[in-house]
Amino acid sequence: MEGTKRLDIAVAPFKVIEKEPFRRSILSGEGINRALELLENAYWFYSSILGHRAGKFTVIETPENYGGQAGKGYALVAGSSLRAEIPANLYHELAHLWNPRATPKAHLSRFFDEAFANYLTALAIKEIHGEEAFNRFIEGLRRNYEAVIERFPEAKKLRLSEWGRLGLWELSYTKGALILYEIHQRAGNAFYDVLRRLVEEESVDFERFRRIMKEVTGLEVTV
Ligand SMILES: [Zn+2]
């Protein structure tokens, strides 16, 4: 697999389906056409808003209860997850191909990878499955955020840039994605210009993010 030092070995009577940029190792043909089509739709959607990506994406189907594993450019997923009505976790892993490159310090918060991957997932759901499915996904993020706040009430008052230092990076999956949702609502289509700018940058941190937001949308965000 490209872009990773991991070496995962799976031995099974796989059927390998190659179609640029995908390499998919499948255990069963049942319901697979729809699953592969959804994955391709998500890929083309991300490409259309953020530009084409050179990287490959590998999907390996695993038997149920073997657990999953994913990283940049690959995902090992159970058959049920691959064939889910809305395969949100695959959209999420795929979205990582378009992450802004965060500085090591900014990376600790996981905002530039996990918040972005989750909000791009929400957008792919809206594009492919419609507005209602999108709203349900956003509601799910809200509920999960409230669950985090119950455990760490102090997290509510923190700035984005403090999450990493305090080890509260899990806020990026929920609150981080919700922040991007809010910015999108306020900025309208200029939000996509912000995303493209961030993806093109050599490296980003919170200050750079704040400046690009201001420059492109006129919005002042507190980081
Ligand atoms: Zn992720």
Side-chain angles (χ1 to χ4, degrees):
M1 295 169 199
E2 287 171 22
T4 167
K5 291 186 178 73
R6 286 186 62 97
L7 179 64
D8 294 287
I9 299 178
V11 182
F14 288 117
K15 180 177 171 43
V16 179
I17 307 172
E18 299 237 31
K19 186 176 173 195
E20 283 298 315
F22 296 105
R23 182 185 170 89
R24 294 149 307 184
S25 301
I26 302 303
L27 289 173
S28 152
E30 208 187 311
I32 202 63
N33 288 344
R34 177 182 183 272
L36 299 186
E37 202 181 299
L38 290 178
L39 195 59
E40 281 165 27
N41 288 347
Y43 181 85
W44 293 115
F45 169 66
Y46 295 148
S47 298
S48 74
I49 58 171
L50 296 169
H52 188 68
R53 267 285 173 275
K56 270 206 175 264
F57 194 77
T58 301
V59 178
I60 299 174
E61 180 179 354
T62 60
E64 297 303 317
N65 307 319
Y66 270 52
Q69 160 73 37
K72 198 167 179 184
Y74 74 96
L76 281 80
V77 290
S80 58
S81 178
L82 179 63
R83 292 167 185 78
E85 179 61 26
I86 299 177
N89 58 339
L90 276 173
Y91 297 163
H92 175 103
E93 298 310 332
L94 191 59
H96 277 308
L97 291 180
W98 283 269
N99 279 158
R101 286 172 288 261
T103 60
K105 195 175 163 211
H107 178 71
L108 289 176
S109 72
R110 310 309 302 266
F111 179 70
F112 294 103
D113 52 347
E114 300 307 348
F116 280 75
N118 254 2
Y119 191 58
L120 284 176
T121 297
L123 292 176
I125 289 174
K126 189 185 203 170
E127 173 74 14
I128 300 167
H129 305 274
E131 188 91 33
E132 242 175 76
F134 170 80
N135 290 334
R136 278 200 302 275
F137 186 79
I138 294 289
E139 273 318 305
L141 294 180
R142 283 215 178 93
R143 276 197 305 277
N144 293 343
Y145 172 54
E146 278 155 24
V148 177
I149 287 302
E150 257 173 49
R151 278 182 288 131
F152 308 106
E154 70 278 14
K156 220 170 183 170
K157 295 186 217 85
L158 294 175
R159 287 166 163 238
L160 253 178
S161 52
E162 293 174 315
W163 297 355
R165 183 171 56 79
L166 297 169
L168 288 167
W169 47 266
E170 64 176 302
L171 285 169
S172 283
Y173 288 88
T174 56
K175 184 66 189 293
L178 291 168
I179 288 173
L180 292 175
Y181 175 47
E182 200 178 315
I183 290 174
H184 190 181
Q185 284 182 310
R186 293 197 193 174
N189 281 336
F191 177 74
Y192 296 106
D193 299 328
V194 172
L195 288 184
R196 278 190 291 271
R197 269 288 296 278
L198 289 169
V199 169
E200 284 162 14
E201 291 283 315
E202 275 301 308
S203 76
V204 289
D205 58 12
F206 290 99
E207 178 51 25
R208 181 77 54 97
F209 174 65
R210 191 194 64 75
R211 262 190 285 140
I212 291 175
M213 277 296 306
K214 177 85 182 160
E215 224 175 284
V216 179
T217 70
L219 293 173
E220 192 69 72
V221 287
T222 310
V223 293

